[in-house]
Amino acid sequence: MKDPVILTDPVKTPLDTVDALAEFGTATVHEAQGRTGLAGPQFRPIQSGARIAGTAVTVLSWPGDNLMIHAAIEQCGAGDILVVTTNSPSTDGMFGELFATALQARGVRGLVIGAGVRDVAELNEMGFPVWSTAVSAQGTVKATAGAVNIPVTLGRVSVDAGDVVVADDDGVVIVPRATAADTVAASRARLEKEEAARQSFRAGELGLDRYGLRPVLDSLGVRYLSQKQYRLEQQETL
């Protein structure tokens, strides 16, 4: 565990940039920034249909110990997303409805946690979005010091306080604060490209032709055969 510390003044991505990224969703943002930033498929939403983005308030905790979540709430404000990690794997229910109540009162937009949550029905009823790696009624203690607003590892990616967290039904993507504005522009360009492709597909064009994939198939030795030709070739190999 790194030195126990609570950093109180992280530089955050401007909320207009954050809100613009929320409109695109995780798949578009992930592709727009070069297929990077995806936390991993283990981070699943406990609800359906939520699409949010916010600035990261990071927490490093011991497994089965939510002391530092209590400490982190004081550092949270409007537009934030709480990002909780543990220094070794944990599935314990470290977060529930009471935490969510406190965070909603501060304008926090949601939670991403590399551990378990509980009170799922209540969290859904109150409309507090959560992405977690487990759901468990197992309770926790409040006994061990950790850290708040230091760089943490969330699944496959590193997260700094103030980075952008984008989350929806497809998962969680992290956008570094330094490249957030560029990612907005790249995401807009990708949406325009996708819309052009969508229109062409509606008109009947095939992806094989639009993306120039026929030469790729040819270079890989893929052939077009009738059923009769295929059967004859199979018989000849017997």
Side-chain angles (χ1 to χ4, degrees):
M1 171 67 75
K2 298 179 181 180
D3 291 338
V5 65
I6 298 173
L7 302 182
T8 61
D9 57 349
V11 179
K12 298 182 179 182
T13 306
L15 278 182
D16 58 344
T17 301
V18 173
D19 292 340
L21 287 167
E23 296 178 8
F24 302 121
T26 57
T28 296
V29 171
H30 170 61
E31 295 282 354
Q33 60 179 2
R35 297 183 182 176
T36 62
L38 185 63
Q42 67 270 38
F43 292 90
R44 301 305 308 149
I46 66 165
Q47 66 285 314
S48 178
R51 173 179 284 187
I52 65 171
T55 44
V57 172
T58 62
V59 181
L60 180 60
S61 294
W62 283 79
D65 190 315
N66 64 11
L67 173 64
M68 299 313 294
I69 298 179
H70 283 278
I73 290 175
E74 184 180 20
Q75 306 306 317
C76 290
D80 287 335
I81 291 178
L82 189 64
V83 176
V84 179
T85 63
T86 56
N87 67 338
S88 62
S90 176
T91 59
D92 294 341
M94 296 177 61
F95 184 99
E97 174 263 333
L98 291 178
F99 272 143
T101 300
L103 290 174
Q104 272 194 334
R106 303 179 76 86
V108 174
R109 295 178 175 180
L111 167 78
V112 176
I113 181 169
V117 297
R118 59 185 187 178
D119 302 335
V120 170
E122 289 82 359
L123 291 170
N124 275 298
E125 183 178 356
M126 64 193 296
F128 187 81
V130 170
W131 287 257
S132 71
T133 56
V135 173
S136 176
Q138 176 66 47
T140 57
V141 299
K142 302 165 181 60
T144 313
V148 175
N149 280 333
I150 67 166
V152 299
T153 299
L154 183 74
R156 300 172 178 173
V157 295
S158 176
V159 188
D160 287 340
D163 284 349
V164 185
V165 183
V166 184
D168 60 19
D169 286 349
D170 292 334
V172 177
V173 169
I174 304 301
V175 180
R177 179 175 60 84
T179 59
D182 289 340
T183 303
V184 170
S187 296
R188 285 184 178 138
R190 182 168 181 83
L191 281 188
E192 291 173 0
K193 181 179 178 181
E194 289 180 348
E195 179 57 27
R198 187 175 296 110
Q199 294 299 328
S200 73
F201 294 154
R202 286 172 178 162
E205 185 178 12
L206 296 173
L208 284 173
D209 299 314
R210 182 170 185 82
Y211 301 132
L213 297 178
R214 293 189 188 278
V216 176
L217 292 176
D218 186 59
S219 70
L220 294 173
V222 178
R223 298 178 299 150
Y224 287 83
L225 297 175
S226 68
Q227 288 286 338
K228 182 177 179 180
Q229 290 172 316
Y230 180 72
R231 291 194 192 98
L232 287 173
E233 287 194 1
Q234 294 300 304
Q235 290 172 0
E236 289 173 0
T237 61
L238 295 179

